[in-house]
Every structure is written in structure tokens, then in C-alpha cells.
Amino acid sequence: MSLLPSKTQASAQVTDSFTPESATARQQSQVVTARHTMVVTANPHATNAALAILKLGGSAVDAMVSAQLVLGLVEPQSSGIGGGAFMLYFDQHKQQLLSYDGRETAPSNIPDNIFIDKDGKPLPFFEAVVGGRSVGVPGVIALMAKSHQQHGKLPWQTLFQPAIELAQKGFVVSPRLHTLLTKDAARLSQDEAAKAYFYDNQGNAVAAGATLKNPAYAHSLTLIAKQGTAGFYQGPLAKAMVDKVSRHTTNPGYLSMQDMQEYQAKLRSPVCSDYRQVKVCGMGLPSSGGLTVNQSLALLANSNLAEMGPNSPESWRLIGEASRLAFADRGKYMADPDFYQGPNLNLLAPEYIRQRQNLLQPGGKARAAMPPGQPDMAMPQANLSAEVSIEQPSTTHFAIRDQAGNLVSMTSSIENVFGSRLMVGGFLLNNQLTDFAFSPKQAGLDVANKVAPGKRPRSSMAPTIVFKSNQPYLVIGSPGGSRIINYVLTTLIAHLDWGMTLQQAIELPHMVNRFGSYELEAGTAATKFEASLKAMGYEVTVKDLNSGLHGFIIDGNSIISGVDTRREGSAATLD
Ligand code: GLU
């Protein structure tokens, strides 16, 4: 049987074939073991900054602020204060899990057809991305301030010092940043500020190993350090962002001073459900991450993955089919919950899961199509259509444990590699609005994730904390566009079902199925499954699958790191 993707599935495969933050050389893995503190981030400068803050007696949230500010400098392709983030926070003393939503919002005068061309067709992706059109109100600073108010120990200004100093004195450009700058030169150097900062007069990207100073970023951070959120959401910096977006000569956007001023980070309810002996907790809507990971796991609860093991094609058929089922529901039912009240947690209801499990048919074949199911709706809404948005891999995940045992699991993003390619105040602005569905309607029906003023685009970010006997056990997350969901899912299965260490689980070659076609990680043993998956009826593609899985396990008295060798991450401890 050959797998015939439905129309939606086919278009997903075309649009999702971009991988702008592409793979770079693999690094060696180094596992760090600790007893108290742990920091794992995508870049050693950020790891060191977080560690320095912990050393001063700072909390996990204090260390998060410093790590994020440094990441915006040294890994500008992935995240920064011009973007948004989701954070899971575990308060050890209160034994409480909180989740913070710092997702970008759509400007208040945005039309719902912003990503449609004059003939009524969705814009080509990069026509939408590059310029002001795709820029949402950034949420990172508000998330940092809100969580620091609750869980910070050190003064706000102190947390800005590592990034300000590094921006002034300069940091050594990493091979990955250099490679990505070279690949993106045509788009990124359209912006004068980005061109002047990243490229020389001949248009060559700053070399790997060169020292790059960013006085503009130091200046912006000094302002925000002194004035708090007002330094970012009001005044000259906000004005510079608004001007950059709204006065873009070829592709202006809608950001206004009022949009900036009204931005709020939000506390959301985490999404938790049981799997095997543990409880897996993730980020709720507007990120689809927690619901889609947890629904995939729930669908697999009756499958004996442990016995079949990672070398069995049948294991991968079941994982792939469970993921497809969850992605089908994600496409139809998941969006900003302040705008669309879909089934939400009813997607995890036992009766509904049983119905959907029937579609994981025995018989060893891929299903030709995987339509969304019919869960109970929290508030029934008629006629919603399934939709596919195009999320591109360019994001960062980091994990922190402080001396008191508090935990941060945070995924942060400017969306595409180098975001909208607009640079203001030494940082890049996001293109997160392209995470909305480009078409507000499909086949005449409304789409849940359509553009609306003030709305947050649906995300796939999946910062995760797993609990065992009610105590935190595993902290994990990844970049990777909507493949984040699969990277986190298979890492959990590899550890929980197949008994791999976290590092082994992270290094397991990726095999991803979201919409029908199976993607296998190029240059790895995953490609050995090509023939057996084809025989099951899957279309198979072999490609770079560039995760950035970072986290740790807390096993009794040992905390053991996991760092993705596909990027430039590092782990370190104080003890
Ligand atoms: N924009 C995506 C999201 O919010 C993340 C992109 C990425 O992981 O690179 O889900």
C-alpha cells in the first residue's frame, strides 16, 4: 500500500520542508553530574552567566533572566528580547508547578487576511516573514519581569550585568552562528542595522572565532535594567521597534505604541497527565506542545513499546501513528484559549483516548489518512476546519535547578532563524505572527488558529517537567518548529520505555511523523528504517533534523545533564 496524504497533509509536507536554522557540525557529548545545581543551555556563555547568578545566591528564575539575555546576544538566530517564550517553573518549597506564557500578541489593528495575497492565496512564507508584517509584540521581557517579581531573589539590575558586560567587551562568534549568518546573508543583510552588525563591507559574515561587540544591545539592556518593563514597552526603545515595523519600506506591519504598552505575560494552567510510572507536565495553550505530547503518550499507553524496543519498526509505526492522530487534533482544535474555547483537556479524556486508540490499527500498516477526532468541546463551536501553520525551527531550550531545588524549563523563540530579520537596539524582532494559519478560512470554515487582534499564535514549544512519586524527575524541551513535539515525545519514550540514559535518549537518531510522511535523520542509523517504513506504506524522507534537546534528570541524589550534540549547548554545575 502506498500512503496517499490528504490535501492538507500534502501541503503540510511542502511548507514544513524548510529548515532554515540548519544543522551544523555535531559536538562531543559531555555528561555533567551534580547534587544541587544544574544549568543546561544552548551556549556556554549563557550557561556561565546563569551559573554566575546562582553563585551570587540567585534563584532559578534569576539565572533564567541572565541566561536569556546572554542567549539573545550569542545565539541571536534563535531567541531574544525581541521574541517570546514559555516557561514551566517548579517551586520546591511550595511544591507547586506554574507555567508562564510570554507569547507574542498580534497588533490591535491587524487584518485577518494579513498573510493572503491580492489573489486570495497564502503569501509565500518568506514574503510574509521578512519585514514588519510578521512581528508580534515581544513577550520575553514581560515574562522575565512577572516571574522575577514572584520568584526572584537578586535585584533585577544585577541580572543584566553578565549580558551587558559581554555585549560591551565582545563575545567569540561560534561556528554555528557564522554558518547560519553566511546562509542567511541575502535575507538578513536587507536590514541596514543587521547588515552593519553581522557583515563586513564585502558582505562576508563575521568569522567564527572573531570577537563581536554589541554596544547597542548593551545600551538597550541598561535601559531595561534601570527602568524595568517600561524601558522596553514604553519610551524610545518601544518607539524604535514600532517605527522599524510600521515604516518598513516594502513589507510594513501593524505594531503600535499602544500594543507595546498593553502587553501582559500570563500565568496558564500546566497540562499534566500520567504515563507509565510518571506524570508528564507541559505547557498549555496557546502552545500546543503539552497537549500534543501528552495526547501522543496517552495513545501509546497500551502499546508495549518496552518489549518491542527502539529497533522494531512496529514501535516506530505506533509512535508515528499516535503522533499523527495528535497532530490531526492539534490542527483543528488548538489555538489561543482566550479566543477559541476548544476541547482543550477533553483531548486527553480516557473515553476519547480509547476511541482514538482504535485507529492505531493492528496489522502493521500506515493509515492512509488521519482525520481529527470528535472530542467533547468545552464550549461547542461549529464548523471549524483543520489547518496547518508553518513553524520554522529556530528557537532555544534551557533548564536550570537552583540550590533550593526550584526548577526552570523554558523554551524561547524569535520563530524563524534571525526572526523577521529586523534589528533594533542590538536585537532581532520576531516573526512569530507567521505561526498563525495564513488563511482565516479553509473550505469556507473558520480556522481556530486564524489571525485576530491581541491573539497569540499557536505554538509547539514544549517545555516539560516530569514527576515521579510527585517529585520532579526530568526536565526537558527543544527547539524544532512543530517537530519539537516529536523530539520531546521520543526522548521521553527512549528514557521511560527503553531505559536509555537522558544523553542516549537525546542522541537517539530522530524519526518524525506529524502528517503522514516519515522523516528520518540524515547521516544516522534512522535511515536503516527506510525500507521497512516504506513497506508499511509510509512516504519516507531523509533530512537534517536539528533538535536542541536540553535538560537533566534528578535521580535520587544525582542530577544528570543531557545536552544535544546537534547544537553548541553546555551543562555546568556550581557544586
Ligand atoms: N515558532 C515555533 C513555536 O512557537 C517555534 C519554532 C522553533 O522551534 O524553531 O512553536
Side-chain angles (χ1 to χ4, degrees):
M1 170 187 109
S2 105
L3 185 70
L4 291 177
S6 69
K7 245 180 144 186
T8 326
Q9 288 164 337
S11 77
Q13 285 158 15
V14 174
T15 51
D16 276 304
S17 62
F18 299 109
T19 46
E21 187 167 344
S22 39
T24 41
R26 291 286 279 247
Q27 64 165 1
Q28 293 288 313
S29 74
Q30 258 183 344
V31 174
V32 172
T33 305
R35 288 177 68 84
H36 304 289
T37 55
M38 182 66 83
V39 178
V40 187
T41 82
N43 185 288
H45 286 297
T47 301
N48 291 342
L51 220 54
I53 291 297
L54 292 181
K55 201 166 183 180
L56 290 176
S59 66
V61 162
D62 291 333
M64 171 279 282
V65 173
S66 291
Q68 173 66 80
L69 296 175
V70 170
L71 284 168
L73 177 69
V74 299
E75 201 200 23
Q77 70 272 18
S78 296
S79 78
I81 62 174
F86 292 103
M87 178 178 78
L88 251 53
Y89 173 76
F90 180 70
D91 186 314
Q92 173 67 24
H93 180 67
K94 293 190 185 149
Q95 291 284 297
Q96 186 184 33
L97 181 69
L98 299 172
S99 65
Y100 284 84
D101 165 358
R103 186 68 162 171
E104 295 87 338
T105 52
S108 56
N109 57 355
I110 198 170
D112 73 355
N113 63 354
I114 181 172
F115 297 125
I116 300 291
D117 72 12
K118 53 182 185 339
D119 304 320
K121 298 219 174 59
L123 284 179
F125 184 69
F126 285 107
E127 279 183 33
V129 167
V130 179
R133 186 188 299 255
S134 63
V135 180
V137 185
V140 162
I141 290 287
L143 180 151
M144 295 194 309
K146 191 178 174 82
S147 58
H148 177 255
Q149 252 166 28
Q150 296 300 317
H151 321 290
K153 280 173 71 187
L154 297 179
W156 175 250
Q157 295 206 13
T158 308
L159 312 178
F160 283 62
Q161 283 321 305
I164 292 174
E165 276 166 32
L166 197 60
Q168 280 165 344
K169 139 176 143 258
F171 68 95
V172 175
V173 171
S174 76
R176 180 172 173 80
L177 175 55
H178 168 76
T179 304
L180 297 175
L181 284 170
T182 302
K183 285 188 178 169
D184 203 64
R187 294 194 183 106
L188 186 55
S189 56
Q190 286 170 32
D191 181 80
E192 284 307 319
K195 187 178 173 188
Y197 176 56
F198 290 122
Y199 300 94
D200 68 14
N201 291 340
Q202 282 72 50
N204 299 314
V206 55
T211 299
L212 188 59
K213 294 183 185 174
N214 191 338
Y217 188 55
H219 182 75
S220 300
L221 294 190
T222 306
L223 199 68
I224 306 164
K226 283 197 189 124
Q227 297 181 3
T229 49
F232 184 82
Y233 290 101
Q234 297 168 40
L237 200 48
K239 173 112 183 20
M241 288 186 259
V242 166
D243 285 351
K244 188 95 184 187
V245 167
S246 57
R247 295 190 186 163
H248 192 275
T249 48
T250 55
N251 199 14
Y254 291 82
L255 201 63
S256 72
M257 288 301 275
Q258 192 179 339
D259 294 325
M260 291 294 295
Q261 196 164 337
E262 285 174 357
Y263 184 84
Q264 298 283 338
K266 294 189 175 187
L267 269 172
R268 302 275 184 192
S269 300
V271 171
C272 295
S273 57
D274 293 332
Y275 181 68
R276 313 295 182 214
Q277 308 307 314
V278 300
K279 187 182 284 299
V280 178
C281 293
M283 189 69 219
L285 296 169
S287 182
S288 62
L291 275 174
T292 314
V293 168
N294 284 21
Q295 200 194 44
S296 305
L297 289 172
L299 290 165
L300 290 165
N302 296 338
S303 304
N304 198 345
L305 297 176
E307 193 177 299
M308 289 184 286
N311 295 320
S312 151
E314 179 64 1
S315 287
W316 290 103
R317 184 187 71 84
L318 289 164
I319 294 168
E321 297 289 279
S323 160
R324 290 176 67 198
L325 282 166
F327 266 89
D329 281 355
R330 172 185 175 275
K332 180 162 180 177
Y333 297 116
M334 298 187 204
D336 183 342
D338 297 336
F339 286 74
Y340 162 68
Q341 287 79 39
N344 202 346
L345 292 177
N346 289 346
L347 290 167
L348 300 172
E351 181 48 34
Y352 178 63
I353 293 292
R354 271 193 291 281
Q355 269 175 42
R356 296 290 275 171
Q357 274 169 338
N358 292 335
L359 300 179
L360 296 174
Q361 57 192 10
K365 291 287 177 199
R367 284 187 82 83
M370 205 61 103
Q374 292 189 310
D376 286 344
M377 303 291 273
M379 274 174 59
Q381 303 246 334
N383 292 337
L384 278 154
S385 168
E387 136 297 328
V388 175
S389 64
I390 315 158
E391 288 157 51
Q392 300 293 310
S394 149
T395 292
T396 200
H397 184 80
F398 55 99
I400 299 171
R401 185 180 197 268
D402 67 21
Q403 196 75 28
N406 302 310
L407 301 172
V408 161
S409 181
M410 174 150 150
T411 314
S412 184
S413 174
I414 54 170
E415 216 301 293
N416 195 242
V417 65
F418 303 108
S420 62
R421 278 73 171 177
L422 300 186
M423 193 165 212
V424 184
F427 58 92
L428 289 156
L429 295 175
N430 69 83
N431 66 294
Q432 215 70 247
L433 299 185
T434 58
D435 274 1
F436 281 117
F438 276 28
S439 306
K441 289 190 185 283
Q442 282 218 343
L445 306 177
D446 271 355
V447 164
N449 185 34
K450 66 178 180 180
V451 176
K455 191 173 175 181
R456 298 170 190 229
R458 183 188 62 209
S459 169
S460 301
M461 291 192 255
T464 302
I465 301 183
V466 175
F467 293 80
K468 199 185 228 173
S469 312
N470 290 324
Q471 287 308 305
Y473 171 67
L474 199 167
V475 182
I476 194 74
S478 180
S482 61
R483 294 183 188 90
I484 289 174
I485 289 162
N486 305 82
Y487 296 151
V488 169
L489 173 68
T490 50
T491 304
L492 292 176
I493 290 171
H495 178 67
L496 297 168
D497 288 289
W498 297 334
M500 294 184 194
T501 65
L502 181 58
Q503 189 60 41
Q504 287 168 338
I506 289 173
E507 287 180 29
L508 183 71
H510 289 312
M511 299 173 66
V512 171
N513 195 332
R514 297 164 296 166
F515 308 111
S517 153
Y518 235 117
E519 299 170 323
L520 308 181
E521 187 175 6
T524 72
T527 56
K528 293 192 184 136
F529 287 82
E530 188 166 352
S532 46
L533 291 172
K534 278 186 173 160
M536 288 172 167
Y538 292 107
E539 268 175 25
V540 176
T541 45
V542 174
K543 61 193 302 177
D544 287 334
L545 290 171
N546 191 230
S547 57
L549 287 150
H550 296 139
F552 49 83
I553 280 191
I554 308 164
D555 200 1
N557 287 330
S558 299
I559 307 165
I560 307 155
S561 70
V563 179
D564 204 321
T565 53
R566 298 168 184 86
R567 298 203 181 197
E568 294 171 336
S570 77
T573 177
L574 265 192
D575 29 335

